[in-house]
């Protein structure tokens, strides 16, 4: 076993400084003299990114760096399955190790505060419990492969618009209850060995220089002893970053010695402005991480990538991450053949049927070994007795329509983009019209029409938010026209964030998927044709209109420019984010949080609540149990969700506390037990700086979504309990 930590005493100041800043775009400096290798890092959430030149953002062009393309975190979150999150982490960690990496810059766990955030596709949910539970398992999966996870972005990086300068103003209670709690779980239960600071500002400082976030909360309140890495280029001031908690500075330019925590920090330590002990702490945390991931140990997991077992796991995640939102008249699953003598004719319409998504989105991009598009998946599943045709249906013009790659963040990114109105009307509109006419003419010749649209990584992208919640490229018109033209229409949307669906009442079959990874198209086809019974549930609310979302109602996005030159965004909706808001204010939504249908049906009965005291005063275990039965024709899975309502001013009507996904074959019946403890009733006390479960009455809601409540009851806590 290499003992790196003991080498600290032998290191010169120059050598220590090398360890705590980048010597390449994805590595720090090692100390060869002492046998300390550089740490090798890679993005990110969707798999291990391709190799770049050490000092340029230019891919090396290696043939050996194609990898498994994992489903996005939104897809994973839609599975509501912590076991799959662990396997997801296993694949990611194993591939990272296989590619020779030490730290994988994942998972991204920021709360989806507004549906417009360009990076939502990389994040899990609008809810911290769902996010935290899955992130914990995922991190454990990564780190079981001798690779460090790096949970990101700490904290409050909930919009891409002006992300590098925006100052977030949020009350402390909301900060802890909503925005920090998944991070807390990731570090304490998940034991993530590293964490990445965010670009944005909070409480008057950049997050990577924030005494409050990095010292007071992370180190002192949470006792975190892992490595804090800056986001790339998020450090602005040597002293603030060094003294307030960054251990390793990373950035995007090749002048590594000029980084704030390179030569400038060396000078400050040399002339006594910053004590060397501050540097020692950082170095020893990094050396400690190196020991934990067993660098230099001959028994270290060698990892592997692109294996069959990885692909099998990714298949399962994609299958369970697909959400059936509407299935009136039981139109789905589709039957691939009428009879083998008459080939069935299927018309597949839409750009997302043929588009692959791996190579987009920003730092989450992947050089995928392969990616099965939905059209290919459909052809693979239906086979030779079916005729499958594809037509675009709508015209995608990324030059004119979308300018999502503008990393400075702009709201002017869609539709007219850089093209002026006249040019747009002359060039784009006629093409849209033509594509629509062509498809409508073809529809009567087909037995089934499957529309596959949604967003793509021009809009679900790092560095820019969406300007609105609408489907781009005139898709609304195409879907409406198809719905008028045939009642054999199935709509599939692929997107990392909610979209408005003005045509919803006219469409009877609707499937929603996020980016589902390399086998996503195949998984989708298996769901469409009934080889897989869908069991995904939305990890975020689909509002009816952007105007209904809390950030619109409270005018709390994207903030305003302040006199100090920073954009300021005040989270004035406080805890009222996502379903917390819609359920509290009884705002109708398109599809609620936690919603998703199955090809089978379930019934629940025999609800019981049992409370057991656990020895110490105020400690208890509450078990809510019920019987659930599969009452339909297919084997399937249902997810029971337990919400708690804290009857206190400012608290939302309900907040998710635990959930359980249950597998049931046809007619099978199972007893399910959902367990809560005192911590699930606690709120943050700003005064005492800790969580307290206060005595009083609480509501319990058991449901299959935030709006589909099967059983409700109340419980009384008799004394206060202060969580340590
Ligand atoms: C992103 C991080 C990413 C880093 C390195 C930054 O722009 O915010 O999530 O890990 O780049 O690519």
């Amino acid at each position: 076993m290499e003992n790196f930590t003991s080498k600290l005493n032998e290191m010169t100041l120059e050598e220590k400084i090398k360890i705590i800043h980048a010597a390449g775009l994805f590595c720090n400096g090692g100390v060869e003299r002492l046998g300390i290798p550089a740490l090798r890092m890679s993005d990110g959430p969707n798999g291990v990114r391709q190799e770049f030149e050490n000092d340029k953002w230019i891919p090396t062009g290696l043939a050996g760096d194609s990898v498994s393309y994992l489903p996005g975190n939104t897809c994973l979150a839609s599975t509501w399955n912590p076991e799959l999150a662990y396997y997801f982490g296993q694949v990611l960690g194993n591939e990272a190790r296989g590619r020779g990496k030490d730290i994988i810059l994942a998972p991204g766990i920021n709360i989806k505060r507004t549906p417009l955030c360009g990076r939502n596709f990389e994040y899990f949910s609008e809810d911290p419990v769902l996010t935290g539970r899955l992130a914990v398992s995922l991190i454990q999966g990564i780190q079981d492969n001798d690779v460090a996870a790096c949970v990101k972005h700490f904290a409050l990086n909930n919009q891409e618009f002006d992300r590098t300068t925006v100052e977030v103003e949020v009350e402390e209670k909301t900060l802890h209850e909503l925005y920090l709690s998944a991070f807390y779980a990731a570090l304490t239960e998940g034991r993530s060995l590293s964490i990445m600071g965010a670009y944005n500002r909070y409480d008057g400082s950049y997050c990577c220089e924030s005494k409050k976030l990095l010292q007071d909360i992370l180190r002192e309140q949470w006792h975190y002893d892992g490595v804090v890495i800056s986001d790339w280029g998020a450090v602005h001031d040597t002293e603030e970053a060094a003294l307030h908690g960054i251990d390793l500075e990373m950035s995007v330019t090749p002048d590594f010695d000029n980084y704030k925590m390179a030569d400038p920090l060396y000078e400050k330590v040399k002339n006594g402005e910053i004590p060397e002990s501050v540097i020692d702490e950082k170095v020893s945390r990094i050396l400690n991480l190196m020991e934990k991931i067993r660098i230099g140990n001959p028994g270290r997991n060698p990892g592997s990538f692109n294996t069959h077992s990885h692909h099998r796991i990714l298949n399962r995640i994609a299958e369970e991450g697909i959400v059936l939102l509407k299935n009136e008249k039981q139109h789905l699953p589709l039957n691939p053949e009428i009879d083998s003598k008459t080939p069935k004719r299927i018309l597949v319409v839409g750009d997302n049927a043929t588009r692959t998504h791996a190579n987009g989105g920003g730092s989450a991009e992947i050089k995928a070994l392969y990616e099965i598009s939905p059209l290919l998946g459909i052809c693979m599943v239906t086979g030779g007795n079916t005729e499958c045709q594809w037509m675009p249906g709508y015209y995608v013009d990324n030059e004119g329509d979308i300018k999502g790659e503008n990393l400075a963040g702009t709201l002017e990114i869609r539709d007219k983009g850089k093209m002026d109105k006249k040019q747009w009307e002359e060039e784009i509109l006629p093409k849209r019209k033509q594509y629509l006419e062509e498809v409508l003419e073809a529809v009567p010749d087909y037995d089934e029409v499957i529309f596959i649209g949604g967003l793509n990584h021009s809009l679900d992208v790092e560095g820019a938010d969406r300007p609105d919640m609408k489907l781009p490229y005139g898709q609304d018109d195409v879907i409406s026209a198809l719905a008028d033209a045939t009642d054999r229409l199935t709509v599939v949307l692929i997107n990392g964030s909610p979209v408005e669906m003005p045509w919803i009442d006219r469409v009877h079959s609707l499937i929603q998927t996020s980016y589902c990874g390399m086998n996503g198209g195949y998984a989708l086809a298996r769901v469409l044709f009934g080889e897989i019974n869908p069991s995904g549930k939305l990890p975020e609310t689909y509002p009816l209109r952007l105007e209904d979302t809390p950030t619109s109602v409270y005018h709390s996005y994207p903030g305003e420019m302040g006199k100090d030159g920073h954009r300021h965004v005040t989270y004035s909706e406080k805890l009222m984010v996502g379903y917390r808001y819609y359920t509290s204010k009884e705002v109708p939504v398109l599809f609620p949080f936690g919603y998703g249908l199955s090809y089978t049906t379930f019934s629940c009965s025999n609800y019981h609540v049992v409370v057991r005291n656990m020895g110490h005063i105020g400690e208890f275990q509450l078990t809510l149990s019920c019987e659930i039965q599969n009452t339909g024709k297919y084997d399937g899975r249902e997810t029971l969700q337990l919400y708690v309502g804290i009857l206190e001013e400012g608290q939302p009507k309900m907040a998710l506390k635990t959930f359980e996904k249950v597998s049931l074959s046809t007619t099978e019946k199972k007893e399910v037990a959902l367990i809560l403890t005192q911590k699930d009733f606690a709120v943050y006390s700003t005064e005492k700086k800790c969580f307290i479960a206060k005595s009083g009455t609480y509501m319990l809601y058991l449901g299959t979504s935030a709006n589909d409540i099967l059983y409700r009851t109340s419980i009384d806590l008799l004394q206060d309990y202060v969580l340590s």
Side-chain angles (χ1 to χ4, degrees):
M1 176 80 172
E2 277 281 356
N3 187 341
F4 290 115
T5 33
S6 66
K7 296 187 179 174
L8 178 64
N9 300 332
E10 300 169 51
M11 288 164 87
T12 64
L13 178 60
E14 283 94 329
E15 288 169 339
K16 292 176 190 169
I17 295 281
K18 276 183 163 189
I19 303 265
I20 65 169
H21 75 89
L25 295 174
F26 285 102
C27 66
N28 67 350
V31 181
E32 221 181 312
R33 178 180 77 86
L34 297 173
I36 302 175
L39 274 170
R40 287 160 300 178
M41 293 166 245
S42 173
D43 284 303
N46 296 350
V48 190
R49 204 173 175 185
Q50 67 188 327
E51 295 298 329
F52 287 89
E53 300 280 349
N54 191 51
D55 57 357
K56 287 184 213 77
W57 291 94
I58 297 178
T60 56
L62 265 186
D65 61 354
S66 304
V67 290
S68 302
Y69 164 41
L70 279 71
N73 283 339
T74 303
C75 174
L76 176 63
S78 308
T79 69
W80 289 63
N81 188 335
E83 195 191 352
L84 286 184
Y86 177 80
Y87 288 127
F88 180 110
Q90 275 275 9
V91 172
L92 188 55
N94 201 252
E95 298 232 343
R97 196 71 276 289
R99 284 270 309 280
K101 305 299 175 196
D102 303 308
I103 302 180
I104 185 84
L105 306 171
I109 62 168
N110 295 92
I111 292 295
K112 299 191 190 194
R113 173 175 176 257
T114 158
L116 300 183
C117 174
R119 261 185 124 168
N120 277 351
F121 77 96
E122 284 188 64
Y123 301 145
F124 289 78
S125 169
E126 65 191 22
D127 180 82
V129 168
L130 178 60
T131 304
R133 185 102 167 254
L134 297 174
V136 163
S137 302
L138 195 161
I139 290 164
Q140 289 166 346
I142 292 175
Q143 296 190 164
D144 282 352
N145 287 278
D146 296 338
V147 168
C150 181
V151 62
K152 63 193 189 183
H153 309 88
F154 192 68
L156 301 165
N157 186 178
N158 310 103
Q159 70 187 54
E160 291 297 284
F161 189 88
D162 278 349
R163 67 170 171 166
T164 55
T165 56
V166 66
E167 167 101 24
V168 176
E169 289 160 8
V170 58
E171 55 147 26
E172 209 162 320
K173 183 173 159 62
T174 302
L175 174 73
H176 283 271
E177 290 180 19
L178 197 55
Y179 293 100
L180 296 187
S181 76
F183 282 102
Y184 182 71
L187 300 183
T188 52
E189 274 175 73
R191 303 190 156 272
S192 181
L193 292 169
S194 66
I195 181 167
M196 187 188 293
Y199 279 126
N200 51 284
R201 296 167 60 86
Y202 166 64
D203 197 38
S205 307
Y206 285 100
C207 288
C208 286
E209 298 165 3
S210 164
K211 175 173 178 306
K212 189 154 172 188
L213 284 177
L214 303 181
Q215 282 298 320
D216 302 352
I217 295 177
L218 203 60
R219 299 293 186 206
E220 274 155 42
Q221 258 178 275
W222 296 0
H223 308 294
Y224 182 60
D225 61 0
V227 173
V228 182
I229 303 176
S230 76
D231 200 341
W232 271 229
V235 167
H236 301 258
D237 183 276
T238 300
E239 215 161 298
E240 303 274 309
L243 292 177
H244 295 159
I246 290 294
D247 296 317
L248 173 54
E249 184 195 2
M250 300 302 296
S251 192
V252 292
T253 52
D255 56 336
F256 306 114
D257 291 342
N258 296 333
Y259 282 19
K260 305 285 186 249
M261 285 177 44
D263 290 354
L265 180 55
Y266 175 82
E267 289 307 321
K268 281 189 186 287
V269 177
K270 259 284 184 254
N271 64 30
E273 283 172 65
I274 292 178
E276 190 163 343
S277 58
V278 170
I279 314 301
D280 288 351
E281 277 180 27
K282 300 179 191 307
V283 175
S284 76
R285 283 193 202 107
I286 293 173
L287 297 176
N288 192 28
L289 176 146
M290 294 174 75
E291 283 176 10
K292 293 219 164 100
I293 56 173
R294 308 205 298 161
I295 290 183
N297 186 326
R300 188 180 186 197
N301 189 333
S304 57
F305 55 114
N306 296 325
T307 67
H308 289 308
S309 72
H310 291 180
H311 296 168
R312 265 197 301 278
I313 291 168
L314 302 187
N315 248 339
R316 249 210 73 205
I317 296 167
E319 287 162 4
E320 282 202 33
I322 292 170
V323 188
L324 177 65
L325 288 179
K326 247 187 137 175
N327 195 18
E328 284 166 11
K329 306 183 194 161
Q330 265 76 53
H331 182 65
L332 295 174
L334 302 173
N335 177 5
E337 290 174 30
I338 299 168
D339 63 63
S340 50
K341 279 182 248 129
T342 337
K344 189 160 187 172
R345 307 197 67 202
I346 296 180
L347 178 62
V348 181
V349 182
D351 181 73
N352 269 345
T354 53
R355 184 178 287 265
T356 52
H357 299 277
N359 188 24
S363 58
E365 64 172 19
I366 287 303
K367 184 168 154 191
L369 178 67
Y370 64 80
E371 180 179 351
I372 299 178
S373 70
L375 181 66
L376 179 57
I378 289 171
C379 295
M380 285 160 70
V381 168
T382 52
N385 292 341
T386 304
E387 260 180 48
C388 237
Q389 276 300 327
W390 174 77
M391 295 180 81
Y394 58 92
Y395 178 67
V396 174
D397 173 63
N398 281 324
E399 277 306 300
D401 271 11
I402 285 173
K403 283 287 153 215
E405 72 275 22
N406 180 350
L407 289 189
T410 165
L411 284 180
E412 302 278 304
I413 57 166
R414 201 169 63 78
D415 261 10
K416 274 130 238 160
K418 284 195 177 139
M419 208 178 245
D420 67 34
K421 194 160 185 275
K422 190 163 168 287
Q423 201 185 355
W424 186 74
E425 278 168 3
E426 281 171 8
E427 288 178 27
I428 309 292
L429 282 187
K431 283 197 184 128
R432 285 194 184 165
K433 204 164 154 260
Q434 178 203 333
Y435 281 28
L436 179 55
E437 278 167 11
E438 282 169 6
V439 84
L440 290 178
E441 208 181 301
V443 162
D445 297 339
Y446 291 88
D447 302 309
E448 290 291 342
V449 179
I450 307 174
F451 174 90
I452 306 184
L455 305 177
N456 57 43
H457 283 312
S458 302
L459 284 158
D460 277 323
V461 70
E462 179 175 350
D465 290 342
R466 283 189 295 158
D468 54 41
M469 248 174 61
K470 297 189 190 315
L471 281 172
Y473 320 122
Q475 290 178 75
D476 287 337
D477 293 341
V478 181
I479 297 171
S480 301
L482 287 173
D484 285 346
T486 174
D487 64 352
R488 307 294 305 166
L489 174 68
T490 300
V491 172
V492 177
L493 296 180
I494 300 178
N495 33 257
S497 250
V499 291
E500 289 167 15
M501 305 181 195
W503 34 259
I504 190 67
D505 292 338
R506 295 149 81 181
V507 165
H508 48 71
S509 316
L510 175 66
I511 285 180
Q512 166 65 43
T513 88
S514 184
Y515 303 99
C516 286
M518 62 201 300
N519 294 322
Y522 182 58
L524 172 65
R526 296 190 76 202
V527 169
L528 282 167
F529 291 95
E531 290 181 14
I532 298 292
N533 187 356
S535 64
K537 297 265 186 179
L538 293 178
E540 63 209 296
T541 311
Y542 270 53
L544 278 164
R545 308 167 310 158
L546 179 62
E547 294 84 319
D548 295 339
T549 62
T551 48
S552 296
V553 173
Y554 289 85
H555 306 290
S556 54
Y557 165 88
E560 276 162 26
M561 284 309 288
K563 291 203 186 83
D564 56 2
H566 296 294
R567 174 174 291 278
H568 286 248
V569 57
T570 307
Y571 289 10
S572 39
E573 73 285 353
K574 300 184 181 167
L575 291 168
M576 297 294 173
V577 169
Y579 71 89
R580 287 168 160 73
Y581 167 76
Y582 303 111
T583 55
S584 303
K585 307 283 177 191
E586 296 180 0
V587 177
V589 297
L590 186 55
F591 296 107
F593 173 79
Y595 184 77
L597 301 170
S598 165
Y599 293 149
T600 191
T601 46
F602 302 96
S603 78
C604 274
S605 56
N606 278 342
Y607 304 98
H608 287 288
V609 177
V610 176
V611 181
R612 267 202 307 150
N613 288 326
M614 298 304 283
H616 292 102
I617 291 179
E619 279 181 14
F620 63 91
Q621 194 180 71
L622 179 154
T623 308
L624 195 164
S625 54
C626 70
E627 262 175 27
I628 177 164
Q629 184 170 19
N630 183 340
T631 48
K633 287 194 302 234
Y634 298 84
D635 297 350
R637 296 188 173 91
E638 177 59 295
T639 302
L640 293 174
Q641 305 155 32
L642 183 51
Y643 299 83
V644 169
I646 299 177
L647 305 173
E648 194 182 282
E649 181 66 27
Q651 286 294 334
K653 177 182 170 197
M654 58 203 279
L656 182 74
K657 294 299 172 183
T658 189
F659 53 91
E660 198 66 46
K661 190 164 188 174
V662 198
S663 293
L664 294 158
S665 42
T666 47
T667 72
E668 195 184 2
K669 197 188 249 187
K670 273 185 188 164
E671 176 157 319
V672 183
L674 293 113
I675 295 173
L676 301 180
T677 67
Q678 60 282 348
K679 78 170 176 12
D680 299 305
F681 297 81
V683 292
Y684 190 76
S685 156
T686 312
E687 202 188 308
K688 303 218 166 87
K689 300 218 169 305
C690 63
F691 278 85
I692 304 179
K694 295 186 202 148
S695 58
T697 304
Y698 295 79
M699 291 301 298
L700 299 179
Y701 303 94
L702 180 71
T704 52
S705 88
N707 283 9
D708 296 286
I709 301 303
L710 305 169
Y711 173 73
R712 72 191 68 203
T713 186
S714 64
I715 130 156
D716 290 328
L717 297 198
L718 300 178
Q719 54 258 109
D720 288 1
Y721 184 89
V722 179
L723 274 78
S724 53

